[in-house]
Amino acid sequence: TNEQRALLTIFGASGDLAKRKLYPSLFRLYRKGYLNEHFAVIGTARREWTQETFQEIVASSIQALHPTEQELQSFIRHFYYQALNVSEPEQYAALKTLATQLDETYHLAGNQLFYLAMAPQFFGTIAGHLHSENIVTPNGFHRLIIEKPFGSDYHSAEQLNEEIRSVFDEDDIFRIDHYLGKEMVQNISAVRFGNNIFESLWNHKYIDNVQVTLAESLGVEERGGYYDQSGALKDMVQNHILQIVALLAMEAPTVFTDKNIRYEKIKALESIRLYTEQEAQKNFVRGQYAEGKLGAKEFSSYQDEPNVNPRSTTETFVAGKLLIDNFRWKGVPFYIRTGKRLTEKGTRIHIVFKPTPINVFREANAPIDENDTGLRNVLTIYIQPTEGFSLTLNGKTIGGDYQLRPIKLDYRHSSDTLDNTPEAYEKLLLDALKGDATNFTHWDEVAQSWRIVDIIRQAWDSQPEVDFPNYASGTMGPDAAFELLERDGFQWVWQP
Ligand code: BG6
Protein backbone atom coordinates (compact mmCIF):
# COMPACT_ATOMS: atom_id res chain seq x y z
CA THR A 1 0.00 0.00 0.00
CA ASN A 2 0.90 3.65 -0.25
CA GLU A 3 0.25 4.28 3.39
CA GLN A 4 2.86 6.45 5.11
CA ARG A 5 3.48 5.78 8.77
CA ALA A 6 4.45 8.74 10.91
CA LEU A 7 3.81 11.01 13.82
CA LEU A 8 3.47 14.59 12.64
CA THR A 9 4.11 17.30 15.24
CA ILE A 10 2.99 20.75 14.17
CA PHE A 11 4.46 23.77 15.94
CA GLY A 12 2.07 26.64 15.37
CA ALA A 13 -1.06 24.47 15.33
CA SER A 14 -3.35 27.42 16.05
CA GLY A 15 -1.92 29.50 13.23
CA ASP A 16 -3.32 30.57 9.95
CA LEU A 17 -1.12 28.31 7.82
CA ALA A 18 -2.10 25.22 9.79
CA LYS A 19 -5.77 25.96 9.41
CA ARG A 20 -5.77 27.14 5.82
CA LYS A 21 -3.28 24.71 4.32
CA LEU A 22 -2.01 21.92 6.56
CA TYR A 23 -5.20 20.38 7.97
CA PRO A 24 -7.00 20.39 4.61
CA SER A 25 -3.91 18.88 2.94
CA LEU A 26 -3.68 16.16 5.58
CA PHE A 27 -7.32 15.37 5.03
CA ARG A 28 -6.82 15.07 1.28
CA LEU A 29 -3.96 12.65 1.92
CA TYR A 30 -6.18 10.72 4.30
CA ARG A 31 -8.92 10.46 1.70
CA LYS A 32 -6.48 9.14 -0.84
CA GLY A 33 -5.17 6.53 1.59
CA TYR A 34 -1.66 7.97 1.99
CA LEU A 35 -2.55 8.49 5.60
CA ASN A 36 -4.63 5.77 7.12
CA GLU A 37 -4.61 3.95 10.45
CA HIS A 38 -0.95 4.51 11.20
CA PHE A 39 -0.66 8.22 11.65
CA ALA A 40 -1.16 10.73 14.42
CA VAL A 41 -0.82 14.47 14.63
CA ILE A 42 0.25 16.46 17.66
CA GLY A 43 -0.67 20.10 17.48
CA THR A 44 1.25 22.45 19.73
CA ALA A 45 0.84 26.14 20.45
CA ARG A 46 1.01 28.34 23.50
CA ARG A 47 -2.65 28.50 24.28
CA GLU A 48 -4.30 25.97 26.57
CA TRP A 49 -6.68 24.16 24.31
CA THR A 50 -8.43 20.91 25.14
CA GLN A 51 -8.22 18.02 22.79
CA GLU A 52 -11.85 18.63 21.80
CA THR A 53 -11.25 22.26 20.94
CA PHE A 54 -8.32 21.30 18.75
CA GLN A 55 -10.31 18.61 16.98
CA GLU A 56 -13.12 21.09 16.39
CA ILE A 57 -10.66 23.52 14.82
CA VAL A 58 -9.36 20.79 12.55
CA ALA A 59 -12.92 19.76 11.69
CA SER A 60 -13.93 23.29 10.77
CA SER A 61 -10.83 23.81 8.66
CA ILE A 62 -11.77 20.91 6.39
CA GLN A 63 -15.45 21.80 5.98
CA ALA A 64 -14.87 23.08 2.46
CA LEU A 65 -13.84 19.55 1.43
CA HIS A 66 -17.26 18.21 2.47
CA PRO A 67 -16.26 15.20 4.53
CA THR A 68 -18.97 12.70 5.41
CA GLU A 69 -19.68 12.49 9.14
CA GLN A 70 -17.89 9.18 9.29
CA GLU A 71 -14.82 10.44 7.42
CA LEU A 72 -14.70 13.48 9.65
CA GLN A 73 -14.87 11.52 12.89
CA SER A 74 -12.33 8.90 11.89
CA PHE A 75 -9.94 11.62 10.66
CA ILE A 76 -10.03 13.98 13.66
CA ARG A 77 -9.55 11.08 16.09
CA HIS A 78 -5.90 11.13 15.00
CA PHE A 79 -5.36 14.69 16.28
CA TYR A 80 -3.91 15.40 19.72
CA TYR A 81 -3.10 18.68 21.38
CA GLN A 82 -0.27 19.67 23.68
CA ALA A 83 0.12 23.24 24.96
CA LEU A 84 3.75 24.26 24.69
CA ASN A 85 5.83 27.34 25.21
CA VAL A 86 8.67 26.42 22.87
CA SER A 87 11.24 28.40 24.86
CA GLU A 88 10.69 26.40 28.07
CA PRO A 89 12.76 23.19 27.95
CA GLU A 90 10.89 21.52 30.83
CA GLN A 91 7.63 21.74 28.89
CA TYR A 92 8.96 19.32 26.28
CA ALA A 93 8.63 16.39 28.70
CA ALA A 94 4.87 16.26 28.18
CA LEU A 95 5.42 16.34 24.44
CA LYS A 96 7.86 13.46 24.71
CA THR A 97 5.41 11.38 26.77
CA LEU A 98 2.61 11.98 24.29
CA ALA A 99 4.86 11.21 21.32
CA THR A 100 6.01 7.91 22.85
CA GLN A 101 2.48 6.92 23.67
CA LEU A 102 1.18 7.71 20.17
CA ASP A 103 4.04 5.85 18.59
CA GLU A 104 2.96 2.71 20.44
CA THR A 105 -0.77 3.17 19.93
CA TYR A 106 -0.52 3.73 16.20
CA HIS A 107 2.55 1.55 15.49
CA LEU A 108 4.48 4.39 13.92
CA ALA A 109 7.89 2.68 13.88
CA GLY A 110 9.48 5.74 15.49
CA ASN A 111 8.93 7.87 12.37
CA GLN A 112 8.57 11.54 13.15
CA LEU A 113 7.99 14.62 11.06
CA PHE A 114 8.25 18.00 12.76
CA TYR A 115 6.55 20.90 11.04
CA LEU A 116 7.65 24.39 12.11
CA ALA A 117 4.80 26.64 11.08
CA MET A 118 5.64 29.59 13.30
CA ALA A 119 7.83 32.67 13.55
CA PRO A 120 11.35 31.87 12.34
CA GLN A 121 13.09 33.23 15.43
CA PHE A 122 12.00 30.04 17.23
CA PHE A 123 13.31 27.53 14.67
CA GLY A 124 16.72 27.18 16.28
CA THR A 125 15.31 26.92 19.82
CA ILE A 126 12.84 24.23 18.85
CA ALA A 127 15.39 22.15 16.99
CA GLY A 128 17.75 22.41 19.97
CA HIS A 129 15.13 21.29 22.46
CA LEU A 130 13.89 18.44 20.31
CA HIS A 131 17.42 17.15 20.61
CA SER A 132 18.24 17.97 24.24
CA GLU A 133 14.89 16.65 25.52
CA ASN A 134 15.39 13.40 23.60
CA ILE A 135 12.34 13.74 21.41
CA VAL A 136 14.50 12.91 18.44
CA THR A 137 15.16 9.22 19.04
CA PRO A 138 17.38 6.73 17.19
CA ASN A 139 14.38 4.79 15.81
CA GLY A 140 12.65 5.52 12.50
CA PHE A 141 13.11 8.73 10.56
CA HIS A 142 13.21 12.26 11.97
CA ARG A 143 12.51 14.97 9.47
CA LEU A 144 12.06 18.67 9.86
CA ILE A 145 9.84 20.80 7.63
CA ILE A 146 10.42 24.53 7.87
CA GLU A 147 8.48 27.40 6.46
CA LYS A 148 9.96 30.57 5.07
CA PRO A 149 11.40 33.06 5.70
CA PHE A 150 14.67 31.23 6.10
CA GLY A 151 16.66 34.13 7.56
CA SER A 152 16.44 37.74 6.52
CA ASP A 153 19.83 37.92 4.82
CA TYR A 154 22.77 35.61 4.20
CA HIS A 155 24.21 35.90 7.71
CA SER A 156 21.00 35.32 9.64
CA ALA A 157 20.17 32.42 7.33
CA GLU A 158 23.57 30.87 7.90
CA GLN A 159 23.22 31.16 11.65
CA LEU A 160 19.78 29.61 11.56
CA ASN A 161 21.07 26.85 9.37
CA GLU A 162 23.87 26.03 11.78
CA GLU A 163 21.41 25.76 14.65
CA ILE A 164 19.21 23.37 12.74
CA ARG A 165 22.04 21.38 11.26
CA SER A 166 23.49 20.67 14.69
CA VAL A 167 20.41 18.48 15.24
CA PHE A 168 19.17 17.38 11.81
CA ASP A 169 21.10 16.13 8.79
CA GLU A 170 20.71 18.14 5.61
CA ASP A 171 18.91 15.13 4.09
CA ASP A 172 16.31 15.35 6.85
CA ILE A 173 15.61 19.05 6.44
CA PHE A 174 12.76 19.99 4.12
CA ARG A 175 12.72 23.75 3.47
CA ILE A 176 9.37 24.66 2.02
CA ASP A 177 8.98 26.87 -0.99
CA HIS A 178 5.33 26.33 -1.78
CA TYR A 179 5.83 27.43 -5.40
CA LEU A 180 7.78 24.20 -5.92
CA GLY A 181 4.62 22.30 -5.02
CA LYS A 182 2.63 23.96 -7.79
CA GLU A 183 1.70 21.66 -10.63
CA MET A 184 2.83 24.05 -13.37
CA VAL A 185 6.12 24.92 -11.70
CA GLN A 186 6.85 21.19 -11.73
CA ASN A 187 5.81 21.24 -15.37
CA ILE A 188 8.76 23.51 -16.24
CA SER A 189 11.00 20.46 -16.11
CA ALA A 190 8.49 18.33 -18.02
CA VAL A 191 8.28 20.88 -20.85
CA ARG A 192 12.03 21.32 -21.04
CA PHE A 193 13.26 17.78 -20.68
CA GLY A 194 10.33 16.00 -22.30
CA ASN A 195 10.31 17.94 -25.57
CA ASN A 196 13.25 17.99 -27.88
CA ILE A 197 11.78 20.86 -29.89
CA PHE A 198 12.31 23.03 -26.83
CA GLU A 199 15.36 21.52 -25.19
CA SER A 200 17.37 21.76 -28.39
CA LEU A 201 16.57 25.48 -28.65
CA TRP A 202 16.89 26.22 -24.93
CA ASN A 203 19.98 28.43 -25.03
CA HIS A 204 21.46 31.77 -26.03
CA LYS A 205 21.55 30.89 -29.71
CA TYR A 206 17.77 30.76 -30.01
CA ILE A 207 16.35 32.57 -27.00
CA ASP A 208 16.25 36.36 -26.88
CA ASN A 209 15.05 36.79 -23.33
CA VAL A 210 13.11 35.08 -20.55
CA GLN A 211 10.39 36.78 -18.51
CA VAL A 212 9.01 35.68 -15.16
CA THR A 213 6.04 37.55 -13.68
CA LEU A 214 4.49 36.82 -10.28
CA ALA A 215 1.69 39.38 -10.13
CA GLU A 216 -0.76 39.75 -7.27
CA SER A 217 -3.89 41.84 -7.16
CA LEU A 218 -4.13 41.67 -3.38
CA GLY A 219 -2.44 44.25 -1.19
CA VAL A 220 -0.69 43.35 2.07
CA GLU A 221 -4.04 42.60 3.73
CA GLU A 222 -3.52 41.66 7.41
CA ARG A 223 0.21 41.10 7.12
CA GLY A 224 1.45 44.69 7.28
CA GLY A 225 3.52 44.01 10.38
CA TYR A 226 5.54 41.25 8.74
CA TYR A 227 5.60 42.69 5.26
CA ASP A 228 6.79 46.17 6.18
CA GLN A 229 9.95 44.56 7.61
CA SER A 230 10.38 42.31 4.61
CA GLY A 231 9.32 43.85 1.30
CA ALA A 232 8.83 42.18 -2.06
CA LEU A 233 12.50 41.40 -2.64
CA LYS A 234 12.75 39.12 0.40
CA ASP A 235 9.14 37.98 0.31
CA MET A 236 9.05 36.79 -3.30
CA VAL A 237 12.36 37.19 -5.18
CA GLN A 238 14.77 35.47 -2.78
CA ASN A 239 12.66 32.32 -2.75
CA HIS A 240 9.92 31.80 -5.33
CA ILE A 241 11.37 33.78 -8.24
CA LEU A 242 14.93 32.54 -7.93
CA GLN A 243 13.67 28.96 -7.64
CA ILE A 244 11.72 29.38 -10.87
CA VAL A 245 14.75 30.95 -12.58
CA ALA A 246 16.90 28.02 -11.41
CA LEU A 247 14.45 25.52 -12.90
CA LEU A 248 14.36 27.43 -16.19
CA ALA A 249 18.10 27.87 -16.41
CA MET A 250 19.56 24.63 -15.06
CA GLU A 251 21.25 21.96 -17.17
CA ALA A 252 19.42 18.68 -17.70
CA PRO A 253 20.00 16.33 -14.76
CA THR A 254 21.30 12.90 -15.73
CA VAL A 255 18.29 11.34 -14.05
CA PHE A 256 15.39 13.11 -12.44
CA THR A 257 16.22 12.51 -8.78
CA ASP A 258 16.36 15.00 -5.92
CA LYS A 259 20.15 14.85 -5.64
CA ASN A 260 20.72 15.44 -9.34
CA ILE A 261 18.24 18.28 -9.55
CA ARG A 262 19.66 20.03 -6.51
CA TYR A 263 23.09 19.81 -8.01
CA GLU A 264 21.95 21.39 -11.26
CA LYS A 265 19.89 24.09 -9.57
CA ILE A 266 22.81 25.09 -7.37
CA LYS A 267 25.06 25.36 -10.42
CA ALA A 268 22.49 27.55 -12.16
CA LEU A 269 22.10 29.85 -9.16
CA GLU A 270 25.85 30.12 -8.83
CA SER A 271 26.06 31.25 -12.44
CA ILE A 272 23.77 34.23 -11.86
CA ARG A 273 25.96 37.31 -12.00
CA LEU A 274 26.56 38.99 -8.66
CA TYR A 275 26.19 42.67 -9.42
CA THR A 276 28.16 45.53 -8.01
CA GLU A 277 25.98 48.00 -6.11
CA GLN A 278 26.02 50.26 -9.12
CA GLU A 279 24.91 47.51 -11.47
CA ALA A 280 22.19 46.54 -9.02
CA GLN A 281 20.89 50.14 -9.06
CA LYS A 282 20.74 50.05 -12.81
CA ASN A 283 19.25 46.58 -13.24
CA PHE A 284 16.70 46.54 -10.43
CA VAL A 285 13.62 48.68 -9.99
CA ARG A 286 11.55 48.99 -6.83
CA GLY A 287 8.06 50.33 -6.37
CA GLN A 288 5.38 50.91 -3.79
CA TYR A 289 1.67 51.13 -4.49
CA ALA A 290 -0.32 54.32 -4.20
CA GLU A 291 -4.09 54.44 -4.00
CA GLY A 292 -5.88 53.48 -7.16
CA LYS A 293 -8.85 51.85 -8.78
CA LEU A 294 -9.44 48.44 -10.21
CA GLY A 295 -12.81 48.18 -11.90
CA ALA A 296 -15.30 49.60 -9.44
CA LYS A 297 -13.08 48.97 -6.43
CA GLU A 298 -10.96 51.66 -4.85
CA PHE A 299 -7.82 50.82 -2.95
CA SER A 300 -5.83 52.77 -0.44
CA SER A 301 -2.09 53.27 -0.65
CA TYR A 302 0.38 50.90 0.99
CA GLN A 303 1.32 53.56 3.51
CA ASP A 304 -2.29 53.69 4.68
CA GLU A 305 -2.53 49.93 5.30
CA PRO A 306 -2.87 48.65 8.87
CA ASN A 307 0.43 48.04 10.73
CA VAL A 308 2.47 49.78 8.05
CA ASN A 309 4.67 52.77 8.81
CA PRO A 310 2.89 55.76 7.21
CA ARG A 311 6.26 56.89 5.80
CA SER A 312 7.36 53.41 4.87
CA THR A 313 10.01 52.97 2.19
CA THR A 314 9.35 49.23 1.90
CA GLU A 315 8.97 48.04 -1.68
CA THR A 316 5.79 46.26 -2.75
CA PHE A 317 7.09 45.79 -6.29
CA VAL A 318 10.36 44.61 -7.79
CA ALA A 319 11.45 44.25 -11.39
CA GLY A 320 14.92 43.29 -12.39
CA LYS A 321 17.25 41.85 -14.96
CA LEU A 322 19.41 38.83 -14.14
CA LEU A 323 22.30 37.66 -16.24
CA ILE A 324 23.59 34.13 -16.17
CA ASP A 325 27.24 33.73 -16.93
CA ASN A 326 27.55 30.29 -18.42
CA PHE A 327 27.80 28.74 -21.88
CA ARG A 328 24.08 28.18 -22.20
CA TRP A 329 22.87 31.64 -21.24
CA LYS A 330 25.61 34.09 -22.13
CA GLY A 331 23.92 37.43 -22.90
CA VAL A 332 20.30 36.33 -22.40
CA PRO A 333 18.50 38.59 -19.93
CA PHE A 334 16.11 36.98 -17.47
CA TYR A 335 13.60 39.68 -16.58
CA ILE A 336 11.68 39.15 -13.39
CA ARG A 337 8.90 41.12 -11.72
CA THR A 338 6.52 40.76 -8.84
CA GLY A 339 4.26 43.09 -6.96
CA LYS A 340 1.18 43.61 -4.86
CA ARG A 341 -1.92 45.47 -6.06
CA LEU A 342 -1.13 44.86 -9.70
CA THR A 343 -3.76 44.57 -12.40
CA GLU A 344 -4.53 40.92 -11.80
CA LYS A 345 -3.33 37.79 -10.03
CA GLY A 346 -1.18 35.76 -12.37
CA THR A 347 2.06 33.83 -12.52
CA ARG A 348 3.45 33.46 -16.03
CA ILE A 349 6.70 32.61 -17.71
CA HIS A 350 7.52 33.77 -21.22
CA ILE A 351 10.32 32.36 -23.29
CA VAL A 352 10.90 34.80 -26.13
CA PHE A 353 12.73 33.20 -29.06
CA LYS A 354 14.98 35.08 -31.43
CA PRO A 355 13.49 36.12 -34.75
CA THR A 356 14.58 34.53 -38.01
CA PRO A 357 17.89 35.91 -39.32
CA ILE A 358 16.24 37.81 -42.16
CA ASN A 359 12.68 38.86 -42.71
CA VAL A 360 12.04 37.62 -46.24
CA PHE A 361 8.51 38.99 -46.03
CA ARG A 362 9.65 42.55 -45.48
CA GLU A 363 7.87 43.82 -48.61
CA ALA A 364 4.54 43.01 -47.02
CA ASN A 365 5.47 43.79 -43.42
CA ALA A 366 6.60 46.97 -41.81
CA PRO A 367 9.99 46.28 -40.24
CA ILE A 368 9.55 45.05 -36.71
CA ASP A 369 12.82 46.47 -35.46
CA GLU A 370 15.96 48.04 -36.87
CA ASN A 371 17.33 44.63 -37.84
CA ASP A 372 14.27 44.15 -39.99
CA THR A 373 13.61 40.67 -38.70
CA GLY A 374 10.32 38.85 -38.26
CA LEU A 375 8.02 38.39 -35.31
CA ARG A 376 9.28 36.44 -32.35
CA ASN A 377 7.93 33.09 -31.22
CA VAL A 378 6.88 33.03 -27.60
CA LEU A 379 6.37 30.01 -25.37
CA THR A 380 4.21 30.88 -22.38
CA ILE A 381 3.85 28.74 -19.27
CA TYR A 382 0.76 29.72 -17.30
CA ILE A 383 1.32 28.76 -13.69
CA GLN A 384 -1.75 30.26 -12.04
CA PRO A 385 -4.64 30.93 -11.81
CA THR A 386 -5.07 29.28 -15.21
CA GLU A 387 -2.70 26.39 -15.85
CA GLY A 388 -1.37 25.55 -19.28
CA PHE A 389 0.91 26.45 -22.16
CA SER A 390 0.74 28.53 -25.26
CA LEU A 391 3.06 28.94 -28.21
CA THR A 392 2.84 31.71 -30.76
CA LEU A 393 3.82 30.81 -34.32
CA ASN A 394 3.77 33.14 -37.27
CA GLY A 395 1.41 32.42 -40.11
CA LYS A 396 0.17 34.50 -42.98
CA THR A 397 -3.04 36.44 -43.04
CA ILE A 398 -5.68 34.97 -45.27
CA GLY A 399 -5.81 36.58 -48.67
CA GLY A 400 -3.37 38.40 -50.88
CA ASP A 401 0.11 39.17 -49.64
CA TYR A 402 2.45 37.65 -47.12
CA GLN A 403 1.46 39.71 -44.16
CA LEU A 404 2.56 37.77 -41.08
CA ARG A 405 0.41 37.41 -38.02
CA PRO A 406 0.98 35.52 -34.78
CA ILE A 407 -1.15 32.42 -34.30
CA LYS A 408 -1.47 31.11 -30.80
CA LEU A 409 -1.52 27.41 -29.99
CA ASP A 410 -3.15 27.39 -26.62
CA TYR A 411 -3.67 24.61 -24.10
CA ARG A 412 -5.29 25.08 -20.70
CA HIS A 413 -6.20 22.42 -18.20
CA SER A 414 -9.94 21.93 -18.01
CA SER A 415 -11.66 22.93 -14.80
CA ASP A 416 -12.19 19.21 -14.10
CA THR A 417 -8.50 18.58 -14.09
CA LEU A 418 -7.99 21.65 -11.96
CA ASP A 419 -10.38 20.37 -9.31
CA ASN A 420 -8.26 17.26 -9.01
CA THR A 421 -4.96 19.11 -8.98
CA PRO A 422 -3.38 18.41 -5.64
CA GLU A 423 -2.80 21.48 -3.53
CA ALA A 424 0.87 22.50 -3.27
CA TYR A 425 1.01 21.68 0.44
CA GLU A 426 -0.60 18.33 -0.07
CA LYS A 427 2.12 17.30 -2.50
CA LEU A 428 4.91 18.68 -0.37
CA LEU A 429 3.69 16.98 2.79
CA LEU A 430 3.49 13.68 0.97
CA ASP A 431 6.98 14.16 -0.48
CA ALA A 432 8.38 14.84 2.99
CA LEU A 433 6.64 11.74 4.37
CA LYS A 434 8.25 9.74 1.59
CA GLY A 435 11.61 11.44 2.06
CA ASP A 436 11.68 12.88 -1.46
CA ALA A 437 13.44 16.27 -1.42
CA THR A 438 13.06 17.08 -5.13
CA ASN A 439 10.73 20.00 -4.53
CA PHE A 440 12.40 21.49 -1.48
CA THR A 441 15.30 23.92 -1.27
CA HIS A 442 18.75 22.77 -0.26
CA TRP A 443 20.84 25.01 1.99
CA ASP A 444 23.25 25.81 -0.83
CA GLU A 445 20.36 27.15 -2.91
CA VAL A 446 19.10 29.29 -0.04
CA ALA A 447 22.59 30.60 0.62
CA GLN A 448 23.24 31.60 -2.98
CA SER A 449 19.82 33.20 -3.30
CA TRP A 450 20.59 35.39 -0.31
CA ARG A 451 23.94 36.40 -1.77
CA ILE A 452 22.18 37.59 -4.92
CA VAL A 453 19.43 39.41 -3.03
CA ASP A 454 21.66 40.95 -0.33
CA ILE A 455 23.53 43.01 -2.93
CA ILE A 456 20.32 44.46 -4.29
CA ARG A 457 19.08 45.23 -0.80
CA GLN A 458 22.38 46.94 0.07
CA ALA A 459 22.29 48.97 -3.12
CA TRP A 460 18.82 50.20 -2.21
CA ASP A 461 19.66 50.83 1.43
CA SER A 462 22.54 53.03 0.34
CA GLN A 463 19.96 55.27 -1.34
CA PRO A 464 17.29 55.63 1.31
CA GLU A 465 15.59 58.60 -0.39
CA VAL A 466 12.95 57.04 -2.60
CA ASP A 467 10.09 58.60 -4.38
CA PHE A 468 7.37 56.35 -2.97
CA PRO A 469 4.60 55.64 -3.73
CA ASN A 470 5.37 55.38 -7.42
CA TYR A 471 2.67 53.23 -9.00
CA ALA A 472 -1.09 53.34 -8.76
CA SER A 473 -2.93 50.31 -7.41
CA GLY A 474 -4.37 48.36 -10.32
CA THR A 475 -1.44 48.97 -12.69
CA MET A 476 1.54 46.80 -13.58
CA GLY A 477 4.08 48.82 -11.59
CA PRO A 478 6.21 51.92 -12.07
CA ASP A 479 7.33 53.22 -15.49
CA ALA A 480 10.91 52.25 -14.72
CA ALA A 481 9.86 48.59 -14.89
CA PHE A 482 8.90 49.07 -18.52
CA GLU A 483 11.97 51.14 -19.34
CA LEU A 484 14.15 48.34 -17.99
CA LEU A 485 13.22 46.22 -21.03
CA GLU A 486 12.85 49.04 -23.54
CA ARG A 487 16.46 49.96 -22.91
CA ASP A 488 17.40 46.53 -24.27
CA GLY A 489 14.97 46.76 -27.19
CA PHE A 490 12.43 44.39 -25.58
CA GLN A 491 9.08 44.68 -23.87
CA TRP A 492 7.04 42.71 -21.37
CA VAL A 493 5.03 40.13 -23.30
CA TRP A 494 2.32 40.19 -20.64
CA GLN A 495 0.74 43.62 -20.39
CA PRO A 496 -2.75 43.10 -19.01
C1 BG6 B 1 4.03 34.02 -0.05
C2 BG6 B 1 4.23 35.47 0.24
O1 BG6 B 1 5.23 33.32 0.05
O2 BG6 B 1 3.49 33.85 -1.34
C3 BG6 B 1 2.95 36.26 0.05
O3 BG6 B 1 4.70 35.64 1.57
C4 BG6 B 1 2.35 35.98 -1.29
O4 BG6 B 1 3.18 37.66 0.21
C5 BG6 B 1 2.24 34.47 -1.55
O5 BG6 B 1 1.05 36.56 -1.33
C6 BG6 B 1 1.76 34.19 -2.95
O6 BG6 B 1 1.50 32.82 -3.05
P1 BG6 B 1 0.43 32.25 -4.07
O7 BG6 B 1 0.51 30.77 -3.94
O8 BG6 B 1 -0.90 32.84 -3.67
O9 BG6 B 1 0.82 32.75 -5.42
Side-chain angles (χ1 to χ4, degrees), residues 37 212 218 246:
E37 273 315 296
V212 178
L218 292 179

Side-chain angles (χ1 to χ4, degrees), residues 148 178-179 182 216 223 235-236 240 340 345 384:
K148 58 156 251 193
H178 78 284
Y179 267 65
K182 293 186 193 279
E216 295 190 86
R223 297 163 73 225
D235 189 50
M236 300 289 276
H240 310 320
K340 301 240 181 239
K345 168 86 184 175
Q384 59 179 15

Side-chain angles (χ1 to χ4, degrees), residues 177-240:
D177 183 316
H178 78 284
Y179 267 65
L180 298 182
K182 293 186 193 279
E183 192 60 33
M184 292 306 295
V185 170
Q186 297 183 358
N187 242 313
I188 294 171
S189 301
V191 171
R192 286 193 55 191
F193 306 128
N195 296 285
N196 201 23
I197 60 165
F198 295 127
E199 188 46 31
S200 54
L201 304 181
W202 209 262
N203 59 53
H204 68 105
K205 291 183 196 138
Y206 304 104
I207 292 178
D208 238 351
N209 68 83
V210 175
Q211 305 180 9
V212 178
T213 301
L214 272 61
E216 295 190 86
S217 52
L218 292 179
V220 283
E221 316 300 304
E222 310 305 318
R223 297 163 73 225
Y226 150 77
Y227 195 87
D228 209 33
Q229 299 300 313
S230 163
L233 183 68
K234 295 183 183 183
D235 189 50
M236 300 289 276
V237 178
Q238 185 272 336
N239 38 56
H240 310 320

Side-chain angles (χ1 to χ4, degrees), residues 422-433:
E423 226 273 319
Y425 276 93
E426 175 188 345
K427 291 216 258 195
L428 295 174
L429 272 166
L430 181 59
D431 285 350
L433 282 163

Side-chain angles (χ1 to χ4, degrees), residues 98-160:
L98 182 56
T100 313
Q101 181 201 322
L102 294 176
D103 185 66
E104 281 164 18
T105 314
Y106 290 93
H107 306 289
L108 303 178
N111 294 338
Q112 295 200 65
L113 193 59
F114 303 99
Y115 200 120
L116 307 192
M118 56 189 299
Q121 66 260 35
F122 298 114
F123 292 172
T125 312
I126 297 172
H129 290 150
L130 288 177
H131 179 64
S132 66
E133 307 311 309
N134 298 315
I135 293 176
V136 176
T137 57
N139 313 326
F141 64 69
H142 295 87
R143 301 187 185 133
L144 185 70
I145 304 188
I146 23 185
E147 274 295 328
K148 58 156 251 193
F150 198 88
S152 57
D153 57 15
Y154 175 76
H155 286 293
S156 56
E158 190 187 32
Q159 195 188 346
L160 170 59

Side-chain angles (χ1 to χ4, degrees), residues 420-491:
N420 293 325
T421 304
E423 226 273 319
Y425 276 93
E426 175 188 345
K427 291 216 258 195
L428 295 174
L429 272 166
L430 181 59
D431 285 350
L433 282 163
K434 291 180 171 169
D436 178 351
T438 306
N439 292 307
F440 293 84
T441 44
H442 187 276
W443 162 245
D444 293 341
E445 297 169 51
V446 175
Q448 191 60 21
S449 302
W450 277 123
R451 288 190 194 103
I452 296 165
V453 156
D454 280 354
I455 292 168
I456 301 159
R457 188 67 261 170
Q458 280 155 20
W460 287 347
D461 289 344
S462 72
Q463 301 208 329
E465 295 297 317
V466 272
D467 195 14
F468 278 176
N470 63 354
Y471 69 95
S473 289
T475 66
M476 285 305 273
D479 293 341
F482 293 87
E483 288 154 14
L484 182 74
L485 277 72
E486 282 156 18
R487 224 167 55 198
D488 298 340
F490 299 130
Q491 40 181 296

